[in-house]
Amino acid sequence: MLAKSATPNPSTVLGRQLGEELRRLREAAAMTTSQAADALDCTKGKISRIENGRVTVRLPDLTAMLQAYQVSDPGLRERLSTLARKANRRRREGWWNEYAPVLADTYRDYIALEAMAGAIRTFQAQLVPGLLQTPDYIRAVTVASRQWQTADEIEKFVQVRLARQERLTGDSPLQFWAVLSEAVLAQQVGGPETMKAQLRHLLAVSAHPNVTVQILPFSRGAHASMFGPYVVLGFPEDGALDVVLADNPTGSMWFERETEVARYRELFDAARTTALSPVESRAVIQRRAREHRP
């Protein structure tokens, strides 16, 4: 069992991500906090607060820091600038803002990070991942959660999840890799017709070149990931830090420290190597789909 980590305030997740990346860049440039402070003409305390995500980073300061750290990669500079703008505006930009009344802060932070991610790896013990869910499956999960009371709220949440799925298509689609417990295929979410359609959709989307789905069968026995679902978000530039979101019945927990994130990478690697191959997994999904009968 993983040791419990302190949970950062959801509203500061983006700032903490930016600060941690700036710290790594400073260290890669072999600069101390004092030297960085001299370059920005500020105090060491300000550099520390930026790196800890405790204060917002103005774009002029970010530009000065990247120049001081000799960061010339235009893609990395642009992504960090985008991250700074999102952190400073506290998720006020982005299509998800119009759905704010039905979205928790943690979920909005997650969508903001997902929008910038280049790759996602996830293990799910009970549910099909949100990016692979059908509308009827989403509705059934939303009703069962009891977090939304009215039909209008439920439909808005469905719209949010379907909008998120656009990350799997387009010019730069998200690389998505999911390992699912066999229980995900057996769980009757929304009834047999909904499940049959969901599993057929899972087969269809898993045929996309940027989507990998593996099933971890019951026959493989106990495994380290069985204690709960998690998502590892990766970003496209070299040296970018991963972020982990782990769910539990009372909420979600962010993990950003390298040692914690590395542990989740190990968990996922163990799950994917224990699971069936993608080809074998498709055969299991097909069989399970046939078993869901009215």
Side-chain angles (χ1 to χ4, degrees):
M1 179 72 71
L2 290 173
K4 186 175 181 180
S5 169
T7 307
N9 185 324
S11 65
T12 66
V13 168
L14 300 176
R16 289 170 65 91
Q17 170 77 354
L18 176 61
E20 184 66 13
E21 295 213 36
L22 289 172
R23 180 186 66 79
R24 295 287 290 273
L25 291 172
R26 174 180 58 77
E27 292 177 348
M31 292 183 67
T32 65
T33 54
S34 295
Q35 290 171 326
D38 289 341
L40 268 71
D41 192 23
C42 66
T43 65
K44 288 173 53 179
K46 179 176 180 178
I47 298 297
S48 295
R49 289 192 295 275
I50 287 175
E51 293 182 355
N52 290 328
R54 294 175 183 170
V55 297
T56 58
V57 184
R58 297 185 306 113
L59 290 180
D61 286 343
L62 176 62
T63 299
M65 295 176 83
L66 296 179
Q67 182 174 348
Y69 303 158
Q70 299 182 353
V71 177
S72 58
D73 181 348
L76 177 56
R77 292 175 70 99
E78 177 58 28
R79 188 175 69 80
L80 293 180
S81 296
T82 299
L83 187 57
R85 287 192 293 270
K86 289 181 180 292
N88 293 347
R89 296 179 184 181
R90 305 278 180 157
R91 305 171 308 276
R92 290 178 183 173
E93 62 179 43
W95 59 263
W96 50 89
N97 182 59
E98 65 180 285
Y99 298 98
V102 297
L103 300 179
D105 284 349
T106 304
Y107 193 33
R108 283 194 285 159
D109 279 328
Y110 177 81
I111 296 173
L113 287 171
E114 182 181 78
M116 294 182 288
I120 286 181
R121 291 159 287 174
T122 183
F123 172 80
Q124 296 292 324
Q126 289 293 133
L127 294 172
V128 172
L131 291 181
L132 307 182
Q133 293 176 0
T134 64
D136 285 341
Y137 189 97
I138 298 170
R139 289 187 186 93
V141 171
T142 306
V143 170
S145 71
R146 300 185 179 182
Q147 295 182 57
W148 296 270
Q149 304 300 319
T150 70
D152 182 62
E153 289 175 340
I154 291 170
E155 285 307 307
K156 285 182 178 178
F157 188 82
V158 172
Q159 292 169 20
V160 169
R161 188 148 289 182
L162 293 176
R164 284 177 50 210
Q165 294 178 6
E166 294 179 11
R167 284 292 286 113
L168 295 178
T169 58
D171 295 333
S172 300
L174 180 72
Q175 298 296 312
F176 189 77
W177 193 338
V179 176
L180 313 180
S181 166
E182 190 174 357
V184 173
L185 310 182
Q187 187 73 38
Q188 284 274 357
V189 176
E193 287 298 329
T194 295
M195 281 303 301
K196 184 182 291 289
Q198 174 61 73
L199 296 187
R200 287 174 174 170
H201 177 69
L202 197 59
L203 285 169
V205 74
S206 67
H208 296 176
N210 59 307
V211 177
T212 301
V213 176
Q214 292 180 260
I215 304 302
L216 208 166
F218 295 135
S219 60
R220 298 292 162 90
H223 55 90
S225 288
M226 64 190 300
F227 299 103
Y230 54 86
V231 181
V232 182
L233 298 100
F235 300 93
E237 291 78 25
D238 291 340
L241 300 172
D242 290 349
V243 177
V244 173
L245 184 67
D247 291 330
N248 60 66
T250 59
S252 301
M253 181 174 289
W254 290 101
F255 293 92
E256 300 164 280
R257 297 191 184 117
E258 179 58 29
T259 54
E260 296 169 334
V261 173
R263 175 57 176 148
Y264 275 97
R265 290 197 204 98
E266 292 172 0
L267 286 177
F268 184 81
D269 285 343
R272 69 177 178 80
T273 54
T274 304
L276 300 173
S277 71
V279 173
E280 294 170 323
S281 297
R282 288 178 60 84
V284 172
I285 295 170
Q286 289 173 332
R287 175 172 58 81
R288 285 290 187 175
R290 292 193 295 268
E291 293 174 357
H292 288 286
R293 298 176 180 175

